[in-house]
Amino acid sequence: MEFNLENPLTNFNDSHSNAFTSLFLAESEHMPAENYFQSLKSKDFDISVRRETISIISQLSCNFDPLLSYLAVNYLDRFLSSQGMLQPKPWILRLLAISCVSLAAKMKGTEFSLFDFQGDGGFIFDTQTIERMEVLILGALKWRMRSITPFSFISYFISLFKLKDPSLKQAIKARATEIIFKAQNEIKLLKFRPSIIAASALLSAAHELLPLQYPCFRKATSNCSYVNKENLLQCYNAMQDIVIDGYESVFDMVSSSVTPVNVLDQQFSSTESEKTNGTITSSSTSRSERDIKKRRIIGYCDNLTVQISRIQQC
C-alpha cells in the first residue's frame, strides 16, 4: 500500500475521531529523541552534518514529490538522534542521504533507480552497500516507517476553522504546507510535536490571509483537548521568522514589476546613495534595507489580507 503522509495509518478509514486520536497518541514515536534538539543547540552534534545531509537529500529528490524529501529528512533526524554523532566524512553523509531517499521512495511507491541517486557526488555505491545502510536505518527507527508528520494533522485542525469557502480553505492549506516545508530546516522547531507544528503553521497562514478571523481560529485551536497551549504559543512564535521569509519572497515577486511605487523607491534610494557619497558601511546599509523592506512588506500584506478577509467573516 502506497504511503500517504496525510493519511499515515493503515486503519485511517475508521471513524474520524478514533483515527485522529490514534495519531495524537502515536506521534511522539515518530519524532527524534528528546535530547536531539538540545544536542544540536549545544553543538554536541555537529549541526553541519545535518545541514549537509539535508542538502544532499534535496539534490537527490529534486525531481520527485516534495513530500518524498520531507519524509527522507524525517528518517534522517530520527536516525541521527538514535545513533549519535557520525563522522563528517563526505562519503558517509552521501550514503546516508541516498539510503534515506531510497527508503522514502519505496514507502511512497515512487519508481526510481539507484543509478538516479549516484549523481555528481563523486561516490558510487553498489546496491548491497546501500541496502546495508537501509537496514541500519530501519533498525534505528524500529521499522516505524509510516511517519506521522505535521501533514497528518492538517485536515484535523483546518476542520476546526469551519471555513465555508473551499478556495479559502485551500489557500490556507497551501500556505501552511509551504511553512511546514521550511520549518523542517529549523532546528529550534525539532522539539515540537508534529501536531503542534501543523497547528502553528495553519494559524500563521490564517493570520496572513484572514486576519479578522484569526482570533476565532486561535481560540478553536487552543481549546482542542490534544493541544498544549504553551507549546502552541512557543512554536507559533518560533515560526514567525519563516513567515517573514515567506512575506519577503511574495513581496519580491510582486515588486519585481515596474510600478510608480517602485520607480519612486528606486529614485529615493539613488538620491540617498548620492547624498551619502558611499560613507555608509555595507552592514548598516543591509540592515537599513531590511528594515525598509519589512515596513513595506507589512504595508503590502496588511492591504492584501484585509481584502481577502472581507470575503468571509468568522
Side-chain angles (χ1 to χ4, degrees):
M1 181 187 299
E2 181 180 336
F3 175 53
N4 184 345
L5 268 71
E6 292 190 20
N7 302 301
L9 301 181
T10 55
N11 60 342
F12 211 75
N13 291 327
D14 293 348
S15 68
H16 184 81
S17 59
N18 289 339
F20 279 110
T21 297
S22 299
L23 283 176
F24 281 105
L25 290 176
E27 63 176 324
S28 62
E29 298 175 354
H30 299 261
M31 294 175 59
E34 291 185 6
N35 65 339
Y36 185 52
F37 167 69
Q38 290 299 333
S39 297
L40 288 171
K41 186 178 178 181
S42 63
K43 304 291 174 47
D44 287 343
F45 280 0
D46 186 348
I47 194 171
S48 65
V49 169
R50 179 180 188 267
R51 186 185 303 114
E52 177 61 25
T53 310
I54 289 178
S55 176
I56 299 172
I57 288 174
S58 298
Q59 295 169 17
L60 295 174
S61 57
C62 63
N63 295 324
F64 297 100
D65 180 353
L67 290 173
L68 189 152
S69 175
Y70 193 95
L71 183 60
V73 175
N74 173 269
Y75 293 161
L76 170 68
D77 281 326
R78 290 164 60 194
F79 175 78
L80 290 178
S81 71
S82 171
Q83 294 298 112
M85 184 61 193
L86 296 178
Q87 295 181 12
K89 295 182 178 180
W91 72 268
I92 294 179
L93 303 187
R94 189 163 189 86
L95 176 60
L96 177 58
I98 290 174
S99 301
C100 286
V101 172
S102 173
L103 286 171
K106 291 174 182 177
M107 285 300 299
K108 287 189 59 60
T110 302
E111 294 186 4
F112 71 99
S113 167
L114 289 177
F115 178 78
D116 299 334
F117 297 155
Q118 300 296 340
D120 300 324
F123 302 101
I124 302 297
F125 304 102
D126 58 43
T127 303
Q128 291 75 19
T129 300
I130 295 174
E131 288 177 348
R132 284 196 295 270
M133 176 57 83
E134 289 178 352
V135 171
L136 185 61
I137 295 172
L138 289 168
L141 272 56
K142 300 179 181 178
W143 290 78
R144 292 174 178 148
M145 309 305 289
R146 302 182 69 85
S147 296
I148 298 175
T149 69
F151 298 105
S152 310
F153 298 94
I154 286 182
S155 61
Y156 174 81
F157 284 115
I158 205 168
S159 69
L160 302 180
F161 292 2
K162 301 188 183 303
L163 291 169
K164 298 177 182 178
D165 188 331
S167 62
L168 290 178
K169 183 183 294 185
Q170 183 57 37
I172 289 180
K173 180 179 179 180
R175 177 61 179 134
T177 297
E178 179 184 358
I179 294 172
I180 290 171
F181 275 123
K182 291 184 178 180
Q184 193 177 38
N185 293 328
E186 295 290 336
I187 64 169
K188 59 187 176 183
L189 295 176
L190 288 171
K191 63 180 179 179
F192 296 109
R193 287 173 175 254
S195 60
I196 293 295
I197 292 175
S200 299
L202 283 166
L203 286 177
S204 296
H207 189 267
E208 292 180 27
L209 302 177
L210 298 170
L212 297 183
Q213 289 86 280
Y214 169 75
C216 299
F217 300 156
R218 182 181 60 190
K219 181 178 180 181
T221 305
S222 298
N223 288 340
C224 173
S225 60
Y226 298 113
V227 171
N228 181 300
K229 295 181 181 179
E230 182 179 350
N231 287 343
L232 178 63
L233 178 61
Q234 290 178 1
C235 185
Y236 177 84
N237 289 336
M239 210 171 261
Q240 294 318 294
D241 287 341
I242 299 173
V243 173
I244 289 295
D245 287 342
Y247 278 150
E248 291 184 352
S249 63
V250 171
F251 182 79
D252 288 340
M253 178 180 65
V254 173
S255 62
S256 61
S257 59
V258 177
T259 66
V261 174
N262 291 343
V263 172
L264 288 174
D265 284 340
Q266 293 170 9
Q267 182 177 356
F268 174 78
S269 300
S270 176
T271 303
E272 289 300 304
S273 177
E274 291 173 1
K275 288 180 179 179
T276 56
N277 292 321
T279 58
I280 300 177
T281 63
S282 59
S283 61
S284 62
T285 300
S286 176
R287 183 164 53 252
S288 176
E289 289 176 351
R290 183 173 180 83
D291 291 340
I292 292 172
K293 176 179 280 190
K294 281 189 176 181
R295 289 196 294 271
R296 292 162 62 194
I297 289 169
I298 292 171
Y300 164 76
C301 291
D302 284 347
N303 180 54
L304 174 65
T305 54
V306 167
Q307 294 180 47
I308 295 175
S309 64
R310 287 174 179 167
I311 298 174
Q312 176 182 350
Q313 296 296 323
C314 182

